Amino acid sequence: MADITRIHGRVIRAGRAEGRALVSPAPIGFLGGVDPDSGVVVEPNHPLHGQSVAGRVLVFPTGKGSTVGSYTILRLARNQVAPAAMINAESEAIVAVGAIIADIPMVDQVAIGLIRDGDWVTVDGDLVEIRQELAP
Amino acid sequence: MTCQLTAEETAMLEGAEGPGVQRAMEIVATLGRIYGAPDLVPVTHAQIAGVSYKNLGDAGVQFLKEWAAEGAQVRTPTTLNPAGMEMERWQEMGIQPSFAEPQLSAIDAFITMGVTPTMSCTPYLFPGYTPRRGDHLAWAESSAVIFANSIIGARSNREGGPSALAAAIVGRTPRYGYHLDQERLADVVVEVRCPVRDVADFGALSYVVGKQVGNATLWFADLADHLPPLPADITLGGAAGDRLKTLGAGLAAYGAVALFHIAGYTPEARDLGEGLIRADARRLAVDSLDPGYTVMDADPDLRQIDLVTIGCPHASLSEIEQIAGLLQGQRVATQLWVTTARLTRDRAREAGWVQTIEAAGGQVVADTCAVVAPMRSIGVASMATNAGKMACYAPAHSKVKMRYGSLEQCVAAAVTGRWNG
């Protein structure tokens, strides 16, 4: 059994993608924070440290750090280790530009607290569909 | 809020001018939506960051080549940040072809798009490019943004590398942030109660203040007391320009400051006075520069210096003149790099200063700097500088050890091979 929630956000990069949610309670800085070859979060003490963003629907409050981080997102995509989609509470320029140049579907202005790590999430335009497995 | 686009801008977004322009407008219009800009504003100049292969990677280079192949052309004067090496002399610098080839390929892509390959972080020092007060810019180099906003009174947000290029391609940027009068008011009033004497002191001040203010706009209440007058021609640098260049670079690097006013001194402060201070501005007093020196001169036991590097941001004409004066008749024992813009080096060579530095065994390096060049791979493990921003960035980016002090100390270290003091 699964519980399905549908919410609408604001489109940053239009597109459709789905995958398991990887939820970060802290902002993500891509330059120096995520390894562009492996997709693994390498920022020391980050809540996602050691986890890979590859193929996940990456859910985080907002971006931070160097603006060159847009190119890190592009490098992730060209190396086939980018997130399938990205969802922010409030987007900023680094991640938004990264999503556009790397063709990664992205929405923001979503109540990200509704999404749990491991939920199956579909992003389609401004629609975010969250499938949560119910406890047995 | 929606960002209003004109018919021409909407056509660009829908692909009327091809996929390269469409992608650029998608970036610019999306940023306009995110930041609540009412519309786009035409820009008179763009400055692109994300030029070094070290930061672009193969994916970034490939992406620039694709954008150029899609027919994207800049429609406003556009200049480039430093690259990871000097364009012609990279082999002498010890750069490997595996770095040089993709780096040259990236520069070629920029040139194909109509960008002028200045490869410098100091576009405000170039005759013919220096912006005027009130000009709207799309600049991506944080040290240049703060100089243009504060010292010239032009208007730029801190653009990212791809967003500045996108703005250049469509000739516009979203009208928000520092483009608006109400976003240029000071949030913090800074009082400086200790002497601030030279470029290194201004670098230390930038650390002490930058670490405490985030992205606030600053009002320096009494800093004019520590500054010589601004030169009539800012492209020369000058005693004041060189201090302000390092102050701004450090405030932008240690904090995220994009604009400061100096009472009675910078153009907007002279005209508008304390009306530029927000009613709820907080106050910050600086009693000592020691906390800056302690962090920036991070390896106090280090004596043996491999490389002395001056020019972050890129050295001005007046800095090159000073170095040439100190090196007259001397011989350096370490490597010495004076990093500067190709355009500035040409002017310094006409004055004979480049020849003096080279005769002493130093190098005047153009197109790059010790932050964006691959320093470890060219055999540099320890450095000395008088540049506040370099003292922070080079150890982090290149894993080198660092001494920090005055220009005179730096040149003395180059001559003796050892740091004293």
Side-chain angles (χ1 to χ4, degrees):
Chain A
M1 279 293 290
D3 194 20
I4 297 176
T5 307
R6 291 188 183 87
I7 49 181
H8 292 271
R10 176 174 71 170
V11 176
I12 301 298
R13 174 69 180 179
R16 186 184 190 286
E18 56 189 326
R20 291 270 169 219
L22 179 65
V23 180
S24 170
I28 296 178
F30 282 86
L31 181 70
V34 182
D35 176 45
D37 295 320
S38 67
V40 172
V41 177
V42 293
E43 181 183 325
N45 303 319
H46 194 277
L48 298 188
H49 181 84
Q51 299 200 63
S52 171
V53 302
R56 307 292 290 268
V57 173
L58 187 59
V59 182
F60 55 112
T62 191
K64 65 170 184 178
S66 167
T67 60
V68 180
S70 302
Y71 281 120
T72 307
I73 295 171
L74 177 72
R75 293 169 78 170
L76 291 168
R78 300 276 165 118
N79 290 328
Q80 315 290 329
V81 291
M86 295 191 285
I87 300 174
N88 278 181
E90 199 63 48
S91 174
E92 52 59 65
I94 305 165
V95 178
V97 172
I100 294 169
I101 66 178
D103 291 324
I104 299 171
M106 177 172 177
V107 295
D108 80 338
Q109 296 186 348
V110 167
I112 59 172
L114 295 173
I115 307 171
R116 294 185 310 212
D117 222 42
D119 289 348
W120 188 261
V121 176
T122 305
V123 174
D124 190 357
D126 72 345
L127 179 70
V128 177
E129 185 183 277
I130 308 158
R131 292 174 65 92
Q132 289 175 332
E133 297 302 323
L134 297 179
Chain B
M1 191 197 288
T2 52
C3 179
Q4 286 294 326
L5 301 184
T6 64
E8 186 192 1
E9 290 159 0
T10 304
M12 289 184 200
L13 188 60
E14 288 168 353
E17 298 190 31
V21 175
Q22 183 175 26
R23 184 178 290 267
M25 185 52 91
E26 188 183 353
I27 290 171
V28 171
T30 301
L31 294 177
R33 281 196 296 129
I34 291 173
Y35 293 109
D39 60 1
L40 308 182
V41 61
V43 293
T44 56
H45 184 187
Q47 166 79 9
I48 314 270
V51 177
S52 173
Y53 173 58
K54 197 169 151 184
N55 291 329
L56 286 168
D58 290 322
V61 175
Q62 187 59 33
F63 171 74
L64 291 171
K65 287 162 77 171
E66 288 165 13
W67 216 352
E70 288 171 345
Q73 285 284 316
V74 300
R75 58 184 88 199
T76 192
T78 303
T79 47
L80 273 190
N81 246 21
M85 62 188 201
E86 184 162 330
M87 286 305 116
E88 289 95 17
R89 295 199 299 183
W90 53 270
Q91 278 160 316
E92 284 172 49
M93 283 174 68
I95 302 278
Q96 296 302 309
S98 59
F99 186 94
E101 281 159 16
Q103 180 66 81
L104 291 168
S105 180
I107 303 296
D108 280 345
F110 284 119
I111 293 172
T112 304
M113 288 188 266
V115 176
T116 309
T118 47
M119 289 159 296
S120 171
C121 47
T122 56
Y124 48 89
L125 293 179
F126 302 159
Y129 281 104
T130 310
R132 286 163 311 179
R133 185 164 173 195
D135 282 357
H136 293 277
L137 314 172
W139 281 16
E141 163 58 36
S142 69
S143 70
V145 169
I146 191 171
F147 195 97
N149 276 330
S150 309
I151 310 306
I152 297 171
R155 298 179 170 220
S156 181
N157 287 320
R158 286 165 56 120
E159 300 266 359
S163 81
L165 180 54
I169 290 168
V170 301
R172 298 150 166 91
T173 194
R175 192 197 302 269
Y176 71 98
Y178 297 98
H179 295 284
L180 305 171
D181 289 341
Q182 67 268 26
E183 301 294 330
R184 298 177 68 85
L185 302 177
D187 312 291
V188 180
V189 174
V190 185
E191 291 171 32
V192 180
R193 297 172 179 161
C194 53
V196 194
R197 297 187 184 92
D198 61 4
V199 165
D201 276 0
F202 274 82
L205 177 66
S206 76
Y207 179 89
V208 173
V209 176
K211 280 291 178 191
Q212 300 185 66
V213 297
N215 63 358
T217 293
L218 309 181
W219 176 272
F220 284 103
D222 45 20
L223 199 57
D225 298 345
H226 302 278
L227 280 163
L230 277 173
D233 179 1
I234 199 71
T235 72
L236 301 174
D242 295 340
R243 286 163 170 76
L244 293 165
K245 172 162 75 78
T246 211
L247 174 68
L251 289 172
Y254 295 117
V257 180
L259 170 61
F260 62 87
H261 304 289
I262 301 174
Y265 192 87
T266 52
E268 285 167 57
R270 276 204 309 266
D271 289 357
L272 303 168
E274 295 189 352
L276 280 171
I277 305 173
R278 285 187 200 278
D280 60 350
R282 69 182 173 94
R283 303 189 91 78
L284 173 69
V286 177
D287 294 308
S288 168
L289 302 179
D290 290 348
Y293 275 101
T294 305
V295 173
M296 298 161 87
D297 189 24
D299 301 292
D301 298 328
L302 178 68
R303 298 282 165 205
Q304 177 69 40
I305 304 295
D306 294 336
L307 171 71
V308 174
T309 177
I310 309 288
C312 172
H314 270 167
S316 69
L317 270 180
S318 55
E319 286 174 306
I320 297 173
E321 179 183 14
Q322 260 182 290
I323 296 160
L326 292 166
L327 282 175
Q328 191 77 47
Q330 302 275 4
R331 187 79 204 159
V332 297
T334 66
Q335 293 190 70
L336 168 66
W337 283 14
V338 180
T339 51
T340 190
R342 183 169 286 266
L343 288 164
T344 305
R345 185 172 68 182
D346 290 345
R347 293 172 85 189
R349 189 174 278 125
E350 281 170 33
W353 301 323
V354 173
Q355 295 87 326
T356 304
I357 293 167
E358 287 174 348
Q363 283 184 279
V364 182
V365 176
D367 307 333
T368 188
C369 74
V371 174
V372 290
M375 300 311 291
R376 285 310 296 243
S377 71
I378 59 180
V380 170
S382 61
M383 288 172 41
T385 189
N386 73 332
K389 179 176 176 178
M390 175 88 71
C392 157
Y393 274 53
H397 282 232
S398 300
K399 308 203 169 30
V400 296
K401 287 187 175 296
M402 179 68 73
R403 290 305 306 255
Y404 178 72
S406 71
L407 180 69
E408 290 77 9
Q409 272 178 300
C410 287
V411 174
V415 170
T416 63
R418 287 178 64 79
W419 186 268
N420 287 303

